[in-house]
Amino acid sequence: RIKSNDYSDLERIFKKITNEELVSEQPINYSNAFTISASIIIPLYKNIPLIVQCLNSICRQDLTPKQFKAIEVIIVDDGSPSLDNEFVLQESKKRLEDKGVDVLFLRHSKNKGRSFARNVGAKAARNQVLIFIDSDISLSNDWLEKAFNKLQETDALAVSSFHGSLAESSYLGCAMQ
């Protein structure tokens, strides 16, 4: 009969279930202690300056050393005309490896298309989560942390978005194996 904004009953129930206050002046700290292993698959065709930026953005992720060790990066060169791509990427590859990230470089002799390159990368992947990004993507420093936290909340998830940090409509996708 009485209408009120008194939610004290709900606050008590929430506290009992979660052991957290529903309303608090202190933010709840979410742990980034996720244990997901991921394979980041990047098809490449000629885009050396942009993929260097892409790999550097992976290096800058807000992850612990243990979490970096749970990542592998698979670069699939889809028949770029120059055979120097792997050599040019050595510095970026070394920076990732110094953080504990395994880096695999695969090369096709002929261009077979981005989808084919992604499928080759997926077959070579060893981890439970596949993340597909284009070579012109630059991830924000917390992208992997946010994605991994979201992936831990569910058994199966596919995420896809368009990201415009380096190119206007670059594809970024993520899927559980």
Side-chain angles (χ1 to χ4, degrees):
R1 290 186 223 155
I2 299 173
K3 292 185 180 182
S4 167
N5 286 339
D6 180 10
Y7 298 107
S8 56
D9 288 342
L10 293 175
E11 290 175 16
R12 278 193 297 279
I13 292 168
F14 184 84
K15 170 90 173 161
K16 184 177 180 181
I17 293 171
T18 66
N19 205 23
E20 297 282 349
E21 296 291 333
L22 181 61
V23 179
S24 173
E25 292 184 20
Q26 297 297 320
I28 298 172
N29 291 322
Y30 292 98
S31 169
N32 78 340
F34 46 83
T35 57
I36 290 176
S37 60
S39 298
I40 301 173
I41 300 161
I42 308 170
L44 170 65
Y45 185 73
K46 297 186 197 178
N47 259 346
I48 295 302
L50 292 178
I51 195 169
V52 167
Q53 291 180 38
C54 176
L55 296 174
N56 289 341
S57 78
I58 295 170
C59 279
R60 289 189 304 268
Q61 292 300 299
D62 297 328
L63 302 176
T64 66
K66 183 177 178 181
Q67 291 163 339
F68 271 112
K69 288 178 183 167
I71 295 173
E72 71 176 343
V73 172
I74 302 170
I75 302 164
V76 183
D77 184 329
D78 191 28
S80 294
S82 170
L83 297 176
D84 296 333
N85 286 354
E86 187 174 10
F87 176 75
V88 173
L89 295 174
Q90 285 303 319
E91 186 178 324
S92 298
K93 183 179 175 186
K94 179 166 178 6
R95 241 182 311 199
L96 284 166
E97 290 172 342
D98 287 347
K99 289 198 173 257
V101 176
D102 287 331
V103 180
L104 178 61
F105 188 90
L106 306 173
R107 187 176 196 304
H108 297 150
S109 57
K110 291 184 180 179
N111 183 278
K112 296 183 179 184
R114 189 179 352 209
S115 297
F116 187 84
R118 285 186 182 130
N119 289 335
V120 167
K123 286 179 184 172
R126 298 175 305 183
N127 293 325
Q128 70 190 78
V129 174
L130 303 179
I131 299 173
F132 300 94
I133 62 176
D134 284 344
S135 58
D136 59 354
I137 290 290
S138 183
L139 301 174
S140 62
N141 292 0
D142 62 350
W143 193 91
L144 284 174
E145 177 186 3
K146 287 180 178 178
F148 291 168
N149 282 326
K150 191 55 83 177
L151 286 164
Q152 274 192 166
E153 295 174 11
T154 183
D155 291 336
L157 176 70
V159 176
S160 122
S161 68
F162 290 90
H163 188 279
S165 61
L166 289 176
E168 273 312 305
S169 59
S170 300
Y171 175 78
L172 177 126
C174 181
M176 298 288 286
Q177 271 188 333

